[in-house]
Amino acid sequence: DGSTLQLEPEFSRPSCVVLMGFDEDFESNPHSVARVFPVSRITILAGPYDLTFGEKTTPIAFPFMVECWNPRPMLRVNLLGVIAKLDESALQDIEYLQSCKLRGIQPTLPLGSAGHVGIDLDPSDPYDPRIKFQAEELDRTSFLSDPVNALRAN
């Protein structure tokens, strides 16, 4: 789908997600599940599996990165509305970067969108702030999946 959606106001971070897929009854069922990727404004901490858009290439009002390494299931009821739509080439880049992450390989193919990939992480460097950022981001974005996990547990 590629819609960039705003979240409920009480959610502090992230404030947007990119919608990549959803249940068949997405429009009619508030408890239907969407597959989303968090959006972050902290592009300086982009790693090799983040798709970044700068001031000149962003389709929304600010530079951002899509955390392609951090897919989340999310309930439709927690999404507010569309604020932008990514083009097909950006969606393909998101899928490609997630695939690279899942396979444990570095992205080497050129991107088709106006986005860019962050530089490679050095796991041997304990001072690389991006490693800490990604660990903290997993915690910060867990709220996106918590309602889905609770429903599935029942």
Side-chain angles (χ1 to χ4, degrees):
D1 179 79
S3 297
T4 304
L5 296 140
Q6 193 170 20
L7 303 179
E8 290 288 345
E10 65 267 24
F11 293 150
S12 60
R13 215 171 157 241
S15 62
C16 301
V17 293
V18 173
L19 177 65
M20 290 296 288
F22 44 84
D23 291 344
E24 287 182 17
D25 62 348
F26 185 73
E27 294 295 325
S28 61
N29 180 0
H31 293 109
S32 64
V33 176
R35 183 172 65 107
V36 302
F37 290 91
V39 168
S40 174
R41 292 182 179 207
I42 309 174
T43 59
I44 195 167
L45 295 175
Y49 308 109
D50 292 307
L51 182 62
T52 63
F53 292 88
E55 289 181 16
K56 294 180 180 176
T57 59
T58 181
I60 53 181
F62 52 85
F64 69 97
M65 69 179 175
V66 179
E67 298 174 357
C68 305
W69 52 271
N70 191 10
R72 298 288 178 162
M74 189 171 178
L75 292 179
R76 181 188 67 81
V77 71
N78 292 331
L79 299 168
L80 283 180
V82 176
I83 60 171
K85 192 147 176 103
L86 298 179
D87 62 26
E88 187 62 33
S89 61
L91 301 181
Q92 290 172 359
D93 289 346
I94 291 168
E95 293 287 0
Y96 168 65
L97 293 173
Q98 183 194 21
S99 171
C100 288
K101 172 65 176 170
L102 290 173
R103 292 182 292 148
I105 62 171
Q106 293 299 313
T108 57
L109 298 177
L111 299 179
S113 71
H116 301 281
V117 175
I119 59 174
D120 194 11
L121 300 174
D122 181 0
S124 66
D125 179 3
Y127 303 107
D128 187 334
R130 294 167 304 154
I131 294 170
K132 181 179 179 186
F133 170 78
Q134 286 187 356
E136 291 173 348
E137 195 69 356
L138 285 172
D139 288 338
R140 279 192 290 265
T141 58
S142 65
F143 77 92
L144 298 170
S145 303
D146 289 345
V148 173
N149 294 337
L151 280 175
R152 290 180 175 166
N154 292 329

